[in-house]
Amino acid sequence: MNIPFNDFASPYQELKAELDEAYARFMQSGWYVLGREVEGFEQEYAAYCGTKYCVGVANCLDAMHLVLRAWNIGPGDEVIVPSNTYIATWLAISHAGATPVPVEPDGRTHNLDPAGLAAALTPRTRAIMPVHLYGQPADMDPIMAFAGRHGLKVLEDAAQAQGALYKGRRAGALGHAAGHSFYPTKNLGAFGDAGAVTTDDPELAGRLKVLRNYGSQKRYYNEVIGYNSRLDELQAAFLRIKLRHLDEWNERRSKIASCYLEALQTEIGSRQSEMTLPFVPAWASPVWHLFVIRHPQRDVLREKLAAAGIATLIHYPVPPHRSGAYAGLRLAQPSLPLADTLAAEVLSLPIGPHLTEAHARQIAGALNESLNLLAG
Ligand SMILES: *Cc1c(COP(=O)(O)O)cnc(C)c1O
């Protein structure tokens, strides 16, 4: 067996005719920055998410940073963020000059626990950034209610959740704004870097269009200190094609996840295992960006799977508060034990629209075998 974690070749192979046609159209258009493809994608992606606006930017880190800037969140301000997330969520806050204030996750979903918000609130709190981690929406209703009571903005980090539903509504349409990543590994992946913001707020969308383009609305007239963070025209052309296949590809991920859950649950049920499987609350329709299990002897399991030819990854081995980047950050709540435990125990199995169910069953079989060996 030789199963890689990501399959980058198959998406192109499946959509080759459409993608090649888009490339030729782009090359012949003679217009390479902020043109019809970006505009078309923005409209189509906003419609898909169910928001009024989409503003394409260079990547998700920029998307989130620019939203915070547009909201005038900066030095002296605090933004509540999950302790368990990819570091980009924290970096967006730091780049805006504000301070990340972590809240621990719910132990079952690994997403921000709304019960932790009250303790993190100070007079400086301006916003909350829930992350829909692994493709599963965060519990947004209590988060929005809390934000409403305290006059806070809510910025979703939807990088891993294109298409996910929370009580029937799409990730990206649940907060006041959302950052999206189209990095190649994401569910809606470009062939390079790309990102976007979705929102219903016309004023925010307008400010973002200015900020992404050197702070300029009218050429050579610069109203604010802006950035160069535009969604690339060619990537937009590719994304328009991939968006048409997103639901089907998410459905395929879902089938793989069902295979895993079935094969692993039976095994867990048959004896006392220390392994934890992904937990999906009744109100969530996840899109399975990642399939993450938990085990106290994660590293041993990982080695055994590697020996069987199965690549796995760890999302993430170092929580942001333990990273060198935040060595100097003094946290009001210095101990984040759940984030630490998750970093030590989580393991991501291969999942994607081009992984076969036969492979998924083989992977589950190899995992069950490794668990048996561990159990002695
Ligand atoms: C990938 C990712 C990002 C960053 O996206 P980029 O487009 O690479 O900037 C942010 N947050 C989460 C949760 C991610 O998974």
Side-chain angles (χ1 to χ4, degrees), residues 59-61 64 85-86 88-89 131 157 159-160 181 183 186 194 316:
N59 55 64
C60 184
L61 174 57
M64 300 187 292
T85 181
Y86 181 53
T89 327
V131 181
D157 178 341
Q160 303 189 353
S181 172
Y183 181 75
K186 312 289 177 173
Y316 297 92

Side-chain angles (χ1 to χ4, degrees), residues 334-356:
S335 155
L336 299 164
L338 205 41
D340 286 334
T341 304
L342 288 176
E345 297 190 348
V346 292
L347 184 67
S348 306
L349 304 182
I351 193 165
H354 296 92
L355 187 74
T356 64

Side-chain angles (χ1 to χ4, degrees), residues 16 47 77-78 88 90 93 112 133 170 173 182 188 223 251 260 276 294 296 300 302 331 339 342 350 357:
K16 186 172 187 314
D77 295 331
E78 293 177 357
W90 287 46
I93 300 165
L112 189 144
L133 203 64
R170 285 243 195 264
F182 309 118
L188 178 59
E223 305 149 33
E251 192 50 44
Y260 278 148
T276 318
R294 216 177 126 180
V300 183
R302 186 164 195 231
L331 298 170
L342 288 176
E357 289 177 47

Side-chain angles (χ1 to χ4, degrees), residues 64-80 92-100 124-129 151-155 176 204 207 211 227:
M64 300 187 292
H65 170 209
L66 264 52
V67 169
L68 295 175
R69 277 260 349 236
W71 284 341
N72 288 317
I73 291 175
D77 295 331
E78 293 177 357
V79 177
I80 296 175
I93 300 165
S94 302
H95 285 314
T99 304
R124 293 164 180 263
T125 310
R126 296 280 315 278
I128 309 171
M129 290 179 69
L152 310 176
K153 293 284 195 189
V154 175
L155 170 57
H176 300 113
L204 174 63
R207 278 193 205 170
L211 278 175
Y227 303 84

Side-chain angles (χ1 to χ4, degrees), residues 278-330:
F279 171 77
V280 182
W283 40 257
S285 303
V287 288
W288 299 105
H289 174 61
L290 296 169
F291 189 96
V292 178
I293 61 164
R294 216 177 126 180
H295 196 286
Q297 292 185 71
R298 184 264 321 274
D299 293 332
V300 183
L301 276 184
R302 186 164 195 231
E303 273 168 34
K304 290 195 188 304
L305 288 174
I310 298 161
T312 56
L313 286 178
I314 297 165
H315 298 90
Y316 297 92
V318 182
H321 73 283
R322 296 276 179 204
S323 67
Y326 286 107
L329 181 70
R330 289 191 42 223

Side-chain angles (χ1 to χ4, degrees), residues 221-287:
Y221 293 82
N222 302 77
E223 305 149 33
V224 291
I225 298 178
Y227 303 84
N228 177 354
S229 180
R230 302 173 289 220
L231 170 58
D232 184 79
E233 182 75 359
L234 178 58
Q235 296 304 334
F238 293 149
L239 285 168
R240 295 178 79 181
I241 290 159
K242 289 196 80 183
L243 179 58
R244 300 203 279 269
H245 299 271
L246 177 60
D247 284 343
E248 187 203 330
W249 287 20
N250 278 342
E251 192 50 44
R252 291 193 218 159
R253 287 176 180 270
S254 186
K255 287 216 173 82
I256 300 295
S258 300
C259 270
Y260 278 148
L261 287 171
E262 200 182 314
L264 298 171
Q265 229 138 28
T266 326
E267 195 62 28
I268 286 187
S270 67
R271 60 189 155 71
Q272 292 297 88
S273 172
E274 289 178 288
M275 180 169 71
T276 318
L277 293 174
F279 171 77
V280 182
W283 40 257
S285 303
V287 288

